[in-house]
Amino acid sequence: MSERQPLLQLQEQIEQEHGRTIARPDLRTSPDNGLVDVQSDNSLDSLEKQSKNDYRPSEHRTNEHPTSNLDTLVHLLKGNIGTGILAMPDAFKNAGLYIGLVGTLIMGAICTHCMHMLVNCSHELCMRLQVPALSFPEVAAASLDTGPIALRRYSRAATKTITTFLCVTQFGFCCVYFLFVALNVQEVVSHYFVKLDVRIYLMILLIPMILINMVRNLKFITPMSLFASILTVTGLGITFYYMLDNLPHVDTVTHMGSWSTLPLYFGTAIYAFEGIGVVLPLENNMANPQDFGGTTGVLNTGMVTVASAYTAVGFFGYLKYGDKVEGSVTLNLPPDEILSQVVRLAMAVAIFFSYTLQFYVPVNIIEPTVRDHFETERGKDLAANGLRIMMVTFTFVLAACIPNLGPIISLVGAVSSSIVALIAPPIIEMITFWPVGYGRYNWMLWKDIAILIFGLLGFVFGTYTSVAQILNPPVNI
């Protein structure tokens, strides 16, 4: 008998998490652990038709503090616009000016499409299982549970894999955020006062970082995200002022990078665009989730804004500073001007508050498991608080061990971001729609295979090149 979690057990687990009993048709488990409708041999088709006719997932969600469209847009922008946008000039350095320009727009389109794929699969599986909402790992498990019989035994492994890489990705973001804030504060303080080791600033940041991450509800994080968004827009505006001042000719920089550095560009770019971890939590928590997708929905509105900002910062940042550009373009701003120091502090504060949103994803996955080990509500709360303290401290320790911002950003992007953003979504979509088909000429299948190959190549070559640069850094780093 297979060790995988049966589909009915998955449904029961999901309904417990959402605090309600969900209606579902009369089902039983077949000898091969598949799902069978007792009234029909064609179980998946029957269940799918019944679900689509009778069940609307969003109508069964019971969010205590649902977010508005504006709240969700703010969270989406802050989930994608962080340290990655300031690293885009460094990415353009590795790709070349024109390759970076075209490649960033293409990367943005692919990543946005993968986000839509994940949301669409979630909707399809929610209707198929008649559950109100699914997390990223639950979508992966449910796709296998309702997919080809030969793959159903791997649903538990898929859950663990997605959960692991999702947590690794978000923890990687948190580590980079920690280091980014410390480096920019160090630049300002060292210019006016005394130069201290960056680890001193990391230690100073640890206590306030722990306190701010005790906030549990996404609704209450909105003011911090809004404040961070205002600071980010202000900081980027001033950064553009410096980048566009006395802009050199395009012939002063490399137009097309070498094959040896292109993987570094891929890693940094996918790191910058990888906000897929916050997509389902945001959509699941919306008051009007039907406004999330669509051509002019929250997702497209946010990601078009993000892609435009990334392309502009990368293009003009590299054109301005050339091969001397740092892992964060704020470190290239003139240190002897008050305005540039204000930018460093503004971006540092913005990223400090953005840490909370990135931290929300892994802690929301791990915390329920920890709370289940305690019976009293006081015990559950103490365990949850202890977990948050340990997790923030863990990212602090990792950040203290990071030797350089640029290669680490590329490594996080190549290893974990490519898996959750480019490799997992097409696999999930292929398995999810296996029972119902891939459209005329199997266009969906061929599209998913192309994205999967692209993600795998970026993962392999990006990881190898990033590790090589960390172990053998160039002389100018």
Short mmCIF file of all heavy atoms in Angstrom, two decimals, residues 227-262:
data_model
loop_
_atom_site.label_atom_id
_atom_site.label_comp_id
_atom_site.label_asym_id
_atom_site.label_seq_id
_atom_site.Cartn_x
_atom_site.Cartn_y
_atom_site.Cartn_z
N PHE A 227 3.83 52.06 4.01
CA PHE A 227 4.92 52.97 4.37
C PHE A 227 6.19 52.60 3.62
O PHE A 227 6.90 53.47 3.10
CB PHE A 227 5.15 52.91 5.88
CG PHE A 227 6.24 53.83 6.36
CD1 PHE A 227 6.18 55.19 6.14
CD2 PHE A 227 7.33 53.31 7.05
CE1 PHE A 227 7.19 56.03 6.59
CE2 PHE A 227 8.34 54.15 7.49
CZ PHE A 227 8.27 55.52 7.26
N ALA A 228 6.47 51.29 3.53
CA ALA A 228 7.65 50.84 2.79
C ALA A 228 7.54 51.17 1.32
O ALA A 228 8.54 51.54 0.67
CB ALA A 228 7.83 49.33 2.98
N SER A 229 6.33 51.08 0.76
CA SER A 229 6.13 51.41 -0.65
C SER A 229 6.40 52.89 -0.92
O SER A 229 7.01 53.25 -1.92
CB SER A 229 4.69 51.06 -1.07
OG SER A 229 4.45 49.68 -0.95
N ILE A 230 5.94 53.75 0.00
CA ILE A 230 6.18 55.19 -0.15
C ILE A 230 7.67 55.49 -0.11
O ILE A 230 8.19 56.25 -0.93
CB ILE A 230 5.43 55.96 0.95
CG1 ILE A 230 3.92 55.81 0.77
CG2 ILE A 230 5.82 57.44 0.93
CD1 ILE A 230 3.10 56.41 1.90
N LEU A 231 8.37 54.88 0.84
CA LEU A 231 9.81 55.08 0.94
C LEU A 231 10.53 54.53 -0.30
O LEU A 231 11.48 55.14 -0.79
CB LEU A 231 10.35 54.38 2.19
CG LEU A 231 9.98 55.01 3.53
CD1 LEU A 231 10.54 54.17 4.67
CD2 LEU A 231 10.51 56.44 3.63
N THR A 232 10.06 53.38 -0.79
CA THR A 232 10.70 52.79 -1.97
C THR A 232 10.53 53.68 -3.19
O THR A 232 11.49 53.91 -3.94
CB THR A 232 10.09 51.40 -2.26
OG1 THR A 232 10.31 50.55 -1.13
CG2 THR A 232 10.73 50.77 -3.49
N VAL A 233 9.31 54.17 -3.40
CA VAL A 233 9.06 55.06 -4.54
C VAL A 233 9.90 56.32 -4.42
O VAL A 233 10.51 56.79 -5.41
CB VAL A 233 7.56 55.41 -4.63
CG1 VAL A 233 7.33 56.51 -5.66
CG2 VAL A 233 6.74 54.17 -4.99
N THR A 234 9.97 56.88 -3.23
CA THR A 234 10.78 58.08 -3.01
C THR A 234 12.26 57.80 -3.27
O THR A 234 12.95 58.56 -3.97
CB THR A 234 10.60 58.60 -1.57
OG1 THR A 234 9.22 58.86 -1.32
CG2 THR A 234 11.41 59.87 -1.35
N GLY A 235 12.75 56.69 -2.71
CA GLY A 235 14.15 56.33 -2.90
C GLY A 235 14.50 56.05 -4.36
O GLY A 235 15.55 56.48 -4.85
N LEU A 236 13.59 55.35 -5.06
CA LEU A 236 13.83 55.08 -6.48
C LEU A 236 13.80 56.36 -7.30
O LEU A 236 14.58 56.52 -8.25
CB LEU A 236 12.79 54.09 -7.00
CG LEU A 236 12.93 52.64 -6.54
CD1 LEU A 236 11.77 51.80 -7.05
CD2 LEU A 236 14.25 52.05 -7.01
N GLY A 237 12.90 57.28 -6.92
CA GLY A 237 12.84 58.55 -7.65
C GLY A 237 14.15 59.33 -7.53
O GLY A 237 14.66 59.86 -8.53
N ILE A 238 14.70 59.39 -6.34
CA ILE A 238 15.97 60.10 -6.14
C ILE A 238 17.11 59.33 -6.81
O ILE A 238 18.03 59.94 -7.39
CB ILE A 238 16.25 60.28 -4.63
CG1 ILE A 238 15.14 61.10 -3.99
CG2 ILE A 238 17.59 60.97 -4.42
CD1 ILE A 238 15.25 61.22 -2.48
N THR A 239 17.05 58.01 -6.75
CA THR A 239 18.08 57.20 -7.42
C THR A 239 18.07 57.47 -8.92
O THR A 239 19.14 57.58 -9.56
CB THR A 239 17.84 55.71 -7.16
OG1 THR A 239 17.87 55.47 -5.75
CG2 THR A 239 18.92 54.86 -7.82
N PHE A 240 16.88 57.57 -9.51
CA PHE A 240 16.79 57.91 -10.94
C PHE A 240 17.38 59.29 -11.22
O PHE A 240 17.99 59.51 -12.27
CB PHE A 240 15.33 57.87 -11.40
CG PHE A 240 14.91 56.54 -11.96
CD1 PHE A 240 14.04 55.74 -11.26
CD2 PHE A 240 15.39 56.10 -13.17
CE1 PHE A 240 13.64 54.51 -11.75
CE2 PHE A 240 15.01 54.87 -13.68
CZ PHE A 240 14.13 54.07 -12.99
N TYR A 241 17.21 60.22 -10.29
CA TYR A 241 17.79 61.55 -10.45
C TYR A 241 19.30 61.45 -10.62
O TYR A 241 19.89 62.11 -11.49
CB TYR A 241 17.43 62.41 -9.24
CG TYR A 241 18.24 63.68 -9.13
CD1 TYR A 241 17.97 64.78 -9.93
CD2 TYR A 241 19.30 63.77 -8.21
CE1 TYR A 241 18.72 65.95 -9.83
CE2 TYR A 241 20.05 64.92 -8.10
CZ TYR A 241 19.76 66.01 -8.91
OH TYR A 241 20.52 67.16 -8.81
N TYR A 242 19.93 60.62 -9.80
CA TYR A 242 21.38 60.45 -9.91
C TYR A 242 21.76 59.66 -11.15
O TYR A 242 22.75 59.97 -11.82
CB TYR A 242 21.92 59.73 -8.66
CG TYR A 242 22.06 60.63 -7.46
CD1 TYR A 242 21.17 60.55 -6.40
CD2 TYR A 242 23.10 61.55 -7.38
CE1 TYR A 242 21.31 61.37 -5.28
CE2 TYR A 242 23.24 62.38 -6.28
CZ TYR A 242 22.35 62.28 -5.24
OH TYR A 242 22.48 63.11 -4.15
N MET A 243 20.98 58.62 -11.47
CA MET A 243 21.33 57.79 -12.62
C MET A 243 21.19 58.54 -13.94
O MET A 243 21.97 58.32 -14.88
CB MET A 243 20.45 56.53 -12.64
CG MET A 243 20.74 55.55 -11.53
SD MET A 243 19.92 53.94 -11.74
CE MET A 243 18.19 54.41 -11.86
N LEU A 244 20.21 59.41 -14.05
CA LEU A 244 19.95 60.12 -15.31
C LEU A 244 20.80 61.39 -15.45
O LEU A 244 20.79 62.01 -16.52
CB LEU A 244 18.47 60.48 -15.41
CG LEU A 244 17.50 59.28 -15.45
CD1 LEU A 244 16.05 59.78 -15.47
CD2 LEU A 244 17.78 58.40 -16.65
N ASP A 245 21.50 61.78 -14.40
CA ASP A 245 22.33 62.99 -14.45
C ASP A 245 23.62 62.70 -15.23
O ASP A 245 24.39 61.81 -14.86
CB ASP A 245 22.65 63.46 -13.03
CG ASP A 245 23.44 64.76 -13.02
OD1 ASP A 245 23.12 65.65 -13.82
OD2 ASP A 245 24.38 64.86 -12.21
N ASN A 246 23.85 63.47 -16.30
CA ASN A 246 25.04 63.29 -17.14
C ASN A 246 25.20 61.84 -17.58
O ASN A 246 26.27 61.22 -17.45
CB ASN A 246 26.31 63.74 -16.39
CG ASN A 246 26.30 65.23 -16.12
OD1 ASN A 246 25.86 66.03 -16.95
ND2 ASN A 246 26.79 65.61 -14.94
N LEU A 247 24.14 61.30 -18.13
CA LEU A 247 24.13 59.90 -18.55
C LEU A 247 25.10 59.71 -19.73
O LEU A 247 25.02 60.44 -20.73
CB LEU A 247 22.72 59.51 -18.97
CG LEU A 247 22.35 58.03 -18.96
CD1 LEU A 247 22.45 57.46 -17.55
CD2 LEU A 247 20.95 57.83 -19.52
N PRO A 248 26.01 58.76 -19.64
CA PRO A 248 26.96 58.54 -20.73
C PRO A 248 26.29 57.90 -21.95
O PRO A 248 25.15 57.43 -21.89
CB PRO A 248 28.00 57.60 -20.10
CG PRO A 248 27.27 56.90 -19.01
CD PRO A 248 26.26 57.88 -18.49
N HIS A 249 27.04 57.83 -23.04
CA HIS A 249 26.54 57.24 -24.28
C HIS A 249 26.49 55.72 -24.12
O HIS A 249 27.26 55.12 -23.36
CB HIS A 249 27.44 57.63 -25.45
CG HIS A 249 26.83 57.34 -26.79
ND1 HIS A 249 26.97 56.13 -27.43
CD2 HIS A 249 26.06 58.13 -27.60
CE1 HIS A 249 26.32 56.17 -28.57
NE2 HIS A 249 25.76 57.37 -28.72
N VAL A 250 25.58 55.09 -24.87
CA VAL A 250 25.42 53.63 -24.77
C VAL A 250 26.67 52.87 -25.20
O VAL A 250 26.86 51.70 -24.83
CB VAL A 250 24.21 53.16 -25.60
CG1 VAL A 250 22.90 53.68 -25.01
CG2 VAL A 250 24.34 53.59 -27.06
N ASP A 251 27.54 53.51 -25.98
CA ASP A 251 28.76 52.83 -26.43
C ASP A 251 29.79 52.68 -25.33
O ASP A 251 30.81 51.99 -25.51
CB ASP A 251 29.38 53.60 -27.61
CG ASP A 251 28.54 53.49 -28.87
OD1 ASP A 251 27.76 52.51 -28.98
OD2 ASP A 251 28.63 54.38 -29.73
N THR A 252 29.55 53.30 -24.19
CA THR A 252 30.52 53.21 -23.08
C THR A 252 30.37 51.93 -22.27
O THR A 252 31.19 51.65 -21.40
CB THR A 252 30.38 54.42 -22.13
OG1 THR A 252 29.04 54.45 -21.60
CG2 THR A 252 30.65 55.72 -22.89
N VAL A 253 29.31 51.16 -22.51
CA VAL A 253 29.09 49.91 -21.78
C VAL A 253 28.97 48.75 -22.76
O VAL A 253 28.81 48.94 -23.97
CB VAL A 253 27.81 49.99 -20.91
CG1 VAL A 253 27.95 51.05 -19.83
CG2 VAL A 253 26.58 50.26 -21.78
N THR A 254 29.06 47.55 -22.23
CA THR A 254 28.96 46.33 -23.05
C THR A 254 27.51 46.13 -23.49
O THR A 254 26.59 46.20 -22.68
CB THR A 254 29.42 45.11 -22.24
OG1 THR A 254 30.76 45.34 -21.78
CG2 THR A 254 29.38 43.85 -23.10
N HIS A 255 27.33 45.86 -24.79
CA HIS A 255 25.99 45.65 -25.31
C HIS A 255 25.50 44.22 -25.08
O HIS A 255 24.31 44.00 -24.79
CB HIS A 255 25.95 45.96 -26.81
CG HIS A 255 26.18 47.41 -27.10
ND1 HIS A 255 26.33 47.91 -28.39
CD2 HIS A 255 26.29 48.50 -26.28
CE1 HIS A 255 26.52 49.21 -28.34
NE2 HIS A 255 26.50 49.59 -27.07
N MET A 256 26.38 43.26 -25.21
CA MET A 256 26.03 41.86 -25.04
C MET A 256 27.08 41.19 -24.16
O MET A 256 28.27 41.21 -24.49
CB MET A 256 25.95 41.14 -26.39
CG MET A 256 24.85 41.67 -27.30
SD MET A 256 24.71 40.73 -28.83
CE MET A 256 23.39 41.63 -29.65
N GLY A 257 26.66 40.63 -23.05
CA GLY A 257 27.58 39.98 -22.13
C GLY A 257 28.07 38.65 -22.66
O GLY A 257 27.57 38.12 -23.66
N SER A 258 29.04 38.08 -21.99
CA SER A 258 29.60 36.79 -22.39
C SER A 258 28.74 35.65 -21.88
O SER A 258 27.94 35.81 -20.95
CB SER A 258 31.03 36.65 -21.86
OG SER A 258 31.01 36.59 -20.44
N TRP A 259 28.90 34.48 -22.48
CA TRP A 259 28.14 33.29 -22.05
C TRP A 259 28.48 32.91 -20.62
O TRP A 259 27.66 32.33 -19.91
CB TRP A 259 28.45 32.13 -22.99
CG TRP A 259 27.82 32.26 -24.35
CD1 TRP A 259 28.44 32.63 -25.50
CD2 TRP A 259 26.44 32.05 -24.67
NE1 TRP A 259 27.54 32.67 -26.54
CE2 TRP A 259 26.30 32.31 -26.06
CE3 TRP A 259 25.32 31.69 -23.95
CZ2 TRP A 259 25.08 32.20 -26.71
CZ3 TRP A 259 24.10 31.58 -24.59
CH2 TRP A 259 23.98 31.82 -25.96
N SER A 260 29.69 33.25 -20.18
CA SER A 260 30.12 32.85 -18.83
C SER A 260 29.40 33.64 -17.74
O SER A 260 29.27 33.16 -16.60
CB SER A 260 31.63 33.01 -18.68
OG SER A 260 32.00 34.38 -18.86
N THR A 261 28.94 34.86 -18.05
CA THR A 261 28.29 35.68 -17.03
C THR A 261 26.76 35.72 -17.18
O THR A 261 26.08 36.21 -16.28
CB THR A 261 28.83 37.13 -17.08
OG1 THR A 261 28.63 37.67 -18.40
CG2 THR A 261 30.30 37.16 -16.74
N LEU A 262 26.23 35.22 -18.29
CA LEU A 262 24.77 35.22 -18.48
C LEU A 262 24.03 34.46 -17.37
O LEU A 262 22.94 34.89 -16.95
CB LEU A 262 24.40 34.64 -19.85
CG LEU A 262 24.43 35.63 -21.02
CD1 LEU A 262 24.11 34.91 -22.32
CD2 LEU A 262 23.45 36.78 -20.78
#
